C-alpha cells in the first residue's frame, strides 16, 4: 500500500476542520430561505423563498437595529483607540516597575465572567438614567475591549526599533512629534488591526446588549433574541434574522482578514 504524503493529510485535515466550522453558517444560510415547515423538517432540498426575510422586516425594524449596532461598534472602537493608544505608548516606551503587573492585571479582567459584573453595571446605568441607551453600550463595549486593545497596541509599539526613537529624541523632537512622525506611520497597521478586531467584537457582543437595552437601543443581537419565545423557536425567521445580522460583519471580516491576522500575531515571531 502506497503511503500518502504527509502534506496531503495535512491539507485534508485542514479542509475538514474548515468545513466543520463552516457548516453551522451554511445551515443558517439555507434555513433562512425556507418556510417554517421546511425548516422544522430539516430538508436539504427545497424551494427557496424570501418570505422569512419579509416577515422579519415587517415584525422588526431591521434598519434601526443595524444602525444601533453600527453606532455602538464604531463608537466603542474609536473611543477605545483614543484611550488605548496613549496607554500602550506610555507602557511600551516609558515602562516602570509596575508596567508588567498592570498589563497582567488588565488581561486578568477578561477572565472574569461578564455576568459577575452585570448587577453593578446595571445598577449604575439605572442610577444615571442610561438604561436602554446607546451611550451605555458604547461605554461598556469600550471597557470590555480595552484590555485587548492595550495588549495588541503594546505589542505593536514594542516592534518599533529603539534606534529610530533614540535618533529622533536626540534631534530634539517632542513626544507628540515623535508619535506623529515616527510611531504612527510605523504602527498604523497595528492600530488598524486593533480597531478592526474590536469592531468585530463589539458588533458580535450579545450579553450586554440583551441585558442593558430593550426597544430603543437594541442591537442586532437583540433582534435575533426576539425570535425566541415561550411557544418555541421560529427557525426560519430566526435564521433569516441571524443572516441579516451577521452578513455585514462577515463581508467586512472577509475583506479585512489580512489586517486581523496581522494584528493577532504581533510579537509572535521575533
Amino acid at each position: 500500500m502506497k503511503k500518502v504524503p504527509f502534506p496531503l493529510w495535512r491539507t485534508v485535515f485542514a479542509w475538514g476542520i474548515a468545513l466543520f466550522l463552516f457548516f453551522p453558517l451554511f445551515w443558517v444560510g439555507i434555513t433562512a430561505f425556507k418556510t417554517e415547515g421546511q425548516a422544522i423538517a430539516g430538508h436539504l432540498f427545497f424551494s427557496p423563498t424570501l418570505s422569512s426575510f419579509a416577515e422579519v422586516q415587517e415584525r422588526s425594524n431591521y434598519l434601526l437595529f443595524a444602525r444601533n449596532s453600527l453606532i455602538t461598534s464604531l463608537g466603542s472602537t474609536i473611543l477605545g483607540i483614543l484611550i488605548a493608544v496613549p496607554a500602550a505608548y506610555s507602557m511600551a516606551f516609558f515602562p516602570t516597575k509596575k508596567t508588567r503587573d498592570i498589563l497582567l492585571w488588565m488581561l486578568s479582567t477578561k477572565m472574569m465572567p461578564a455576568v459577575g459584573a452585570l448587577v453593578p453595571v446595571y445598577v449604575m446605568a439605572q442610577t444615571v438614567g442610561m438604561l436602554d441607551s446607546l451611550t451605555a453600550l458604547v461605554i461598556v463595549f469600550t471597557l470590555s475591549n480595552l484590555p485587548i486593545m492595550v495588549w495588541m497596541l503594546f505589542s505593536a509599539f514594542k516592534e518599533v526599533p529603539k534606534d529610530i526613537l533614540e535618533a529622533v529624541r536626540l534631534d530634539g523632537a517632542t513626544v507628540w512629534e515623535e508619535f506623529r512622525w515616527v510611531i504612527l506611520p510605523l504602527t498604523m497597521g497595528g492600530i488598524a488591526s486593533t480597531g478592526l478586531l474590536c469592531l468585530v467584537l463589539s458588533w458580535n457582543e450579545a450579553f450586554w446588549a440583551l441585558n442593558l437595552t430593550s426597544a430603543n437601543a437594541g442591537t442586532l443581537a437583540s433582534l435575533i433574541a426576539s425570535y425566541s419565545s415561550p411557544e418555541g423557536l421560529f427557525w426560519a425567521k430566526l435564521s433569516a434574522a441571524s443572516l441579516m445580522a451577521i452578513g455585514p460583519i462577515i463581508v467586512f471580516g472577509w475583506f479585512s482578514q489580512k489586517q486581523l491576522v496581522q494584528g493577532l500575531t504581533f510579537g509572535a515571531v521575533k
Side-chain angles (χ1 to χ4, degrees):
M1 181 177 179
K2 187 176 180 180
K3 186 177 180 181
V4 179
F6 174 75
L8 179 59
W9 279 108
R10 183 172 58 184
T11 301
V12 172
F13 179 76
W15 273 102
I17 294 297
L19 293 175
F20 177 77
L21 295 175
F22 175 75
F23 180 78
L25 185 61
F26 164 77
W27 196 255
V28 167
I30 64 172
T31 304
F33 294 93
K34 297 179 180 179
T35 62
E36 287 296 338
Q38 293 171 337
I40 294 175
H43 294 154
L44 185 60
F45 301 100
F46 58 94
S47 299
T49 177
L50 297 176
S51 60
S52 295
F53 293 93
E55 292 180 35
V56 168
Q57 184 58 34
E58 290 177 4
R59 172 178 169 178
S60 309
N61 188 349
Y62 170 79
L63 293 179
L64 173 64
F65 290 101
R67 186 207 67 174
N68 291 342
S69 289
L70 185 63
I71 292 175
T72 53
S73 298
L74 287 177
S76 61
T77 300
I78 294 173
L79 181 59
I81 288 292
L82 293 176
I83 298 173
V85 166
Y89 175 86
S90 62
M91 292 181 183
F93 301 119
F94 304 97
T96 65
K97 295 181 179 180
K98 297 295 183 180
T99 296
R100 180 179 176 83
D101 294 336
I102 294 174
L103 286 170
L104 291 176
W105 171 78
M106 294 183 68
L107 187 61
S108 69
T109 61
K110 297 298 296 180
M111 302 176 187
M112 182 185 72
V115 68
L118 175 59
V119 173
V121 171
Y122 186 92
V123 171
M124 286 189 291
Q126 185 181 43
T127 302
V128 298
M130 293 175 61
L131 280 180
D132 196 21
S133 70
L134 296 178
T135 303
L137 284 186
V138 169
I139 294 174
V140 172
F141 287 177
T142 301
L143 295 177
S144 177
N145 293 331
L146 200 57
I148 298 177
M149 300 178 82
V150 172
W151 265 90
M152 290 181 63
L153 291 174
F154 175 80
S155 299
F157 290 152
K158 290 294 287 185
E159 294 291 320
V160 177
K162 294 183 179 180
D163 295 341
I164 297 178
L165 298 180
E166 292 176 357
V168 172
R169 291 169 184 173
L170 288 175
D171 289 339
T174 63
V175 173
W176 168 248
E177 291 174 338
E178 174 186 321
F179 179 79
R180 172 66 181 84
W181 301 110
V182 180
I183 304 299
L184 188 59
L186 292 176
T187 59
M188 183 57 70
I191 296 174
S193 301
T194 302
L196 291 174
L197 177 63
C198 291
L199 181 68
V200 173
L201 292 176
S202 297
W203 184 278
N204 294 331
E205 176 60 48
F207 178 82
W208 293 110
L210 293 176
N211 287 283
L212 296 181
T213 65
S214 55
N216 297 326
T219 63
L220 289 171
S222 304
L223 172 64
I224 296 174
S226 67
Y227 287 92
S228 174
S229 66
E231 292 79 15
L233 295 174
F234 299 94
W235 290 109
K237 288 186 270 300
L238 179 62
S239 298
S242 300
L243 192 61
M244 294 168 69
I246 65 179
I249 204 64
I250 287 178
V251 174
F252 175 79
W254 176 264
F255 285 105
S256 60
Q257 58 181 315
K258 181 179 179 180
Q259 288 75 19
L260 290 174
V261 173
Q262 178 184 3
L264 290 172
T265 56
F266 266 125
V269 179
K270 293 292 184 182

